[in-house]
Amino acid sequence: MSILTNPVTIAVLVLCVLCLMKLNVVLSMLIACFVGGVVGGLPITAETGNSIMSLLTHGFSANAETALAYMLLGTFATAIATTGLADILCKKLSRVIGGKPLVLIGILTIVAVLSQNLIPVHIAYIPILVPPLLAMMNEMKLDRRAVACAIAFGHKAPYIAIPFGFGFIFQGIVSDNLTANGMPVTIGDVTAINWVLALAMILGLLVAVFISYRKPREYKMVKADTSASDAISEKLEYRHYVTFAAIVIVVVVQVLTEALALSALAGVMVMIVFGAIKWDQVDDQVLGGIKTMGLISFVMLIAGGFAEVIKATGGVDELVKSAVGIMGSSKLVAAVVITLIGMLITMGIGTSFGTVPILAVLYVPLCQQMGFSNAATILLITAAATLGDAGSPASDTTLGPTSGLNADGQHDHIWDTCVPGFLHFSIPLMLAGIIVSQFV
C-alpha cells in the first residue's frame, strides 16, 4: 500500500475536495468516510461489527461527551443571551470600539482567548457576540477573513501554550499519551516548549491582519440574525448578577472536574434555580442551544465515526510505515513527514484533541529511534495534531467563527474561514515544528 493509495490519504483528499466544492460538511465527511472504508477493504454492510456503518456509529462515542458539552454550552450561552447580559456587553463594546477596526479585532481576540482559558465556554459565545457587530464591520469595510483569523487564533493558541481551561485538558492529553507510550513527560514539559507554536501563530495573525486582509472589503448591509442576543436595556438587574454567578460556577466546576458538560449543566441549573431563567423558558433555552451548537455537535459525532473507520482500515499504520521508508536517517525529513501525516489525519478528523492519541502510539517510538529529544517530540506531536485543525472544514476552530460571521449570509466557511486559517496558522505551525525540533 503506497502513500497515494492509502485509505487515509484518499479519504482526506475526498473530504477536502468536496468541501472546496462547497458540499455540506456533514455530507462531505460521510462520503469521504465511506470512500476511505471501501478503499481500506471494509464491508459496507455485514453481520459482524466491522462494517463501515457499524464502525461509523460506534465511533460516535469517541466525541459524544464533547458533543454533549457543546449542546449544554449552547444552552448556557442561549440562557445568557435571554437575560440580555451578552447584548449589554456588546453595546458597551460597540461604544469602546468607536469605529476602529483594529480595536474590534483586538477585543474579539481577547474574548476568544478568555473563552478557552478563563471562562471555558469555547465557541458558544460567538453567535451571541459576533452577529450584532456585523453591521459595524460592514460600515468599517472590515475584511471578515481577518476577524475569522483573530477568533481562530484565540481558540487555538491558548490551549497550545496556556495550561488552564481547555489548555489544561489538551496539554494533559499530550503528556498522558506520551508517557503511556514510553516517554515520561509532564504538563510542565509541554508548556515549556509549546510557546514556540503559539509564537508562530502570533506571527501568522499579524500577517493576516496587517498584510493579507488589511484592505477594505465591501459587504451588503443585510440584517443579521441577532436573535441570540436580543435584550431590552443596558441596566444590570438581578438576573444579570445571577448570570455572573453562574459563569463563576462554570469556571469553578470546570477547574475541579475538568468536565465541560458538567460545568455547563451546573451553570444552567444555577440560572434556573435562582430565577435568572424562568421554568417555562427552559424548553426555549434548550432549543436555542440546539440551534446554536447543534450542527457543530453533530459534526463532532461524525468526526469520531470517521476516525473509527479510518483506524479500522489499518491505513494509519501503513501510512507511517511508508513514511519511515522515505525519511531514512534524516531528522529534517522525519520532522516534515511527521507534520504532514498529522495534518492529513487532523484535517479529516477535525479535532487536534482526538488526533494526539493516534499520533502518540506511532510517533513516540519513531521519534526516539530518530534521536529526537522529549521537547522536540512534544513539539512535533503538538504541531502535527493542531496544524490540520486550523484549516479543517470539520474543526470547531473553523466552524465557530463561521457560525457568527455568516449570520447575514456573506461569509463563506471554506474560502473565508478555512483557507485563511490554513494559510496563516497551519503553515507557520508546520515550519515552527520542523525547524525548532532540529535544535531542542
Side-chain angles (χ1 to χ4, degrees), residues 7-16 19 25-26 28-30 32-33 63 299-308 310 340-352 354-355 358 384-385 387-395:
V8 178
T9 306
I10 293 175
V12 173
L13 286 176
V14 169
L15 172 64
C16 293
C19 287
V25 171
V26 172
S28 298
M29 291 183 66
L30 289 172
C33 177
N63 287 335
V299 167
M300 292 297 293
L301 291 176
I302 298 296
F306 185 98
E308 187 77 9
I310 293 304
L340 285 175
I341 293 176
M343 180 184 70
L344 277 175
I345 297 172
T346 314
M347 188 74 77
I349 296 175
T351 167
S352 51
T355 303
I358 299 173
L387 63 91
D389 198 2
S392 171
S395 167

Side-chain angles (χ1 to χ4, degrees), residues 137-138 141-145 215-219 416:
M137 294 182 196
N138 293 344
K141 298 181 180 180
L142 175 61
D143 194 326
R144 295 184 195 177
R145 291 174 293 183
K215 293 182 179 180
R217 191 180 188 188
E218 296 282 351
Y219 292 91
D416 293 338

Side-chain angles (χ1 to χ4, degrees), residues 181-265:
N181 286 280
M183 183 175 287
V185 298
T186 64
I187 291 179
D189 296 327
V190 178
T191 305
I193 188 61
N194 273 6
W195 66 268
V196 173
L197 301 178
L199 179 60
M201 291 195 67
I202 291 175
L203 295 177
L205 177 62
L206 293 176
V207 171
V209 173
F210 292 102
I211 298 177
S212 301
Y213 309 123
R214 64 180 178 82
K215 293 182 179 180
R217 191 180 188 188
E218 296 282 351
Y219 292 91
K220 297 178 182 178
M221 292 302 290
V222 180
K223 183 176 177 61
D225 179 10
T226 60
S227 58
S229 52
D230 289 339
I232 297 175
S233 69
E234 292 188 54
K235 182 181 178 181
L236 289 176
E237 301 175 359
Y238 168 76
R239 65 180 185 274
H240 300 137
Y241 293 108
V242 173
T243 303
F244 279 124
I247 292 172
V248 173
I249 292 297
V250 168
V251 175
V252 172
V253 175
Q254 167 67 20
V255 171
L256 294 178
T257 67
E258 299 181 11
L260 277 176
L262 181 59
S263 63
L265 180 61

